[in-house]
Amino acid sequence: QGSTQKYIVKNYFYYYLFKFSAALGEEIFYITFLPFTYWNIDHSVSRRMIIIWSIVMYIGQVSKDILKWPRPLSPPVVKLEMRTDAEYGMPSTHAMAATAISFSFFIATRNQYEYPFEFGLAAAFVFSTLVCLSRLYTGMHTVLDVIGGALISAVLLMLLYPVWDTIDHLLLTSPFCPLISIIVPLVLCYNYPKLDYYSPTRGDTTTILGAGAGATVGFWLNNQFAAASSTGEDFQLRLPLLTGKTMVVMLARFLVGILIILLTRQLMKSVVLGMLGYHYKFPMRDLAARRRPEVEVPYKFITYSSVGLTATVIVPLLHELLGLM
């Protein structure tokens, strides 16, 4: 990885617009928007988005490390991000995630609510386009990487859409759901394509699959035990009907939920890493040891599956206890 390049910002509007847009494909967006949808909009919409997101991102991350197409050379481009520079470029998983999340949200909400088709389509298109353009602006991808990512995501969405109701039903009702939701992602993470050098793709993939696994188990538990949070019927809100009181309650749910999620993530990181460090005899600050598969996979999977489970089970129960339901 190269050192950070010096550059001059000539247009701060584009600079901050695309820096913000790039963040829409990062953990900070996933850990806020996906739970917000579950707590405040509609559970069925959230379930479909999380399943699509998990599948699309796994395929995208694995494709990168199989194809091994390099990122744009620097120079001539200036790279505004360094964390993911060690990853390969094709396809752009930012483009894949943005396309999958925005259009699955659009399709799922159109199946639940009545609102102008053109508005939803335009919003999904603008969202995904901004994220795609941000990858070019930040110098992290070529045009082909971005187009390839968006097209792959679109194809996967078209293939999954006809069966996503069936998948959703099975995940809610099958007695094997918890077992499958944990074992299959773990097997995929442990059998992730090996590279000649360390890349954050395996860790990021484990994070995504772990969060998806925890959330899926949470969906199943809510459905089995008929928790108040198991359906979105109580809060099938349409934007024109939003009131000041409703918005305050939604904000309160979000703030309480995010606080619990962040505390859970920090607690589980410390506990799991401490246990792994004790078992494998390495200090917690040993970065090289934390990158070993036998450490990285359980560390990230357990941490983020706990986050997913907390977001879908613990937080709604706390909302009910606090009178926010």
Side-chain angles (χ1 to χ4, degrees):
Q1 299 184 34
S3 58
T4 303
Q5 294 174 274
K6 294 182 179 180
Y7 54 87
I8 298 174
V9 179
K10 295 183 177 180
N11 190 314
Y12 279 96
F13 173 76
Y14 288 134
Y15 177 78
Y16 288 114
L17 172 65
F18 290 124
K19 288 285 283 185
F20 172 78
S21 299
L24 299 178
E26 301 285 353
E27 180 183 350
I28 188 172
F29 175 73
Y30 304 144
I31 208 170
T32 52
F33 178 72
L34 295 177
F36 178 88
T37 304
Y38 188 75
W39 300 328
N40 287 313
I41 299 179
D42 189 278
H43 289 186
S44 64
V45 172
S46 178
R47 290 197 303 268
R48 285 159 175 76
M49 278 201 304
I50 289 173
I51 297 303
I52 296 294
W53 169 66
S54 300
I55 295 173
V56 165
M57 288 299 287
Y58 174 76
I59 292 174
Q61 295 284 69
V62 169
S63 298
K64 278 185 179 183
D65 290 339
I66 292 177
L67 293 174
K68 298 183 178 181
W69 288 17
R71 290 186 182 272
L73 294 177
S74 176
V77 304
V78 175
K79 294 184 178 180
L80 304 186
E81 300 175 9
M82 297 308 299
R83 177 188 173 275
T84 57
D85 193 36
E87 298 180 9
Y88 290 107
M90 176 67 174
S92 166
T93 45
H94 272 71
M96 293 184 71
T99 303
I101 288 177
S102 60
F103 281 93
S104 62
F105 180 81
F106 165 56
I107 295 169
T109 52
R110 277 290 297 176
N111 290 340
Q112 296 288 333
Y113 309 113
E114 293 182 4
Y115 63 85
F117 175 86
E118 297 79 6
F119 172 78
L121 181 63
F125 179 78
V126 169
F127 179 93
S128 57
T129 300
L130 282 175
V131 175
C132 289
L133 290 177
S134 75
R135 307 316 288 159
L136 302 178
Y137 183 88
T138 55
M140 302 310 295
H141 286 286
T142 65
V143 174
L144 185 59
D145 295 341
V146 170
I147 293 176
L151 287 178
I152 293 171
S153 189
V155 170
L156 289 172
L157 191 55
M158 287 189 291
L159 292 175
L160 291 169
Y161 174 69
V163 296
W164 74 357
D165 286 337
T166 302
I167 294 173
D168 185 57
H169 177 73
L170 289 174
L171 291 178
L172 289 178
T173 59
S174 172
F176 302 106
C177 171
L179 192 63
I180 293 173
S181 297
I182 298 298
I183 291 179
V184 171
L186 270 177
V187 170
L188 293 176
C189 292
Y190 274 111
N191 290 277
Y192 193 84
K194 292 180 173 59
L195 298 177
D196 297 330
Y197 64 93
Y198 178 78
S199 167
T201 49
R202 183 185 60 215
D204 291 344
T205 304
T206 305
T207 294
I208 292 166
L209 293 185
T216 302
V217 173
F219 300 150
W220 183 85
L221 287 172
N222 286 336
N223 188 67
Q224 295 301 309
F225 296 99
S229 59
S230 62
T231 70
E233 295 177 358
D234 292 338
F235 293 99
Q236 291 188 346
L237 304 174
R238 298 179 182 179
L239 290 178
L241 300 178
L242 289 178
T243 64
K245 181 180 178 181
T246 301
M247 294 180 67
V248 169
V249 172
M250 291 172 68
L251 179 61
R253 285 194 213 119
F254 175 71
L255 293 177
V256 169
I258 286 299
L259 176 62
I260 299 302
I261 282 179
L262 294 178
L263 290 174
T264 300
R265 184 180 66 167
Q266 189 59 43
L267 175 64
M268 294 307 297
K269 277 186 173 182
S270 300
V271 171
V272 176
L273 192 58
M275 293 176 64
L276 290 169
Y278 176 80
H279 180 73
Y280 290 108
K281 311 299 182 186
F282 68 86
M284 292 181 64
R285 294 186 179 181
D286 188 341
L287 184 59
R290 289 165 58 174
R291 289 176 170 178
R292 287 154 44 189
E294 65 270 24
V295 174
E296 185 176 54
V297 171
Y299 165 51
K300 290 186 176 290
F301 192 88
I302 295 173
T303 296
Y304 284 92
S305 61
S306 300
V307 168
L309 187 65
T310 298
T312 53
V313 177
I314 305 301
V315 171
L317 290 175
L318 183 59
H319 286 163
E320 186 175 9
L321 183 65
L322 295 175
L324 297 174
M325 297 300 291

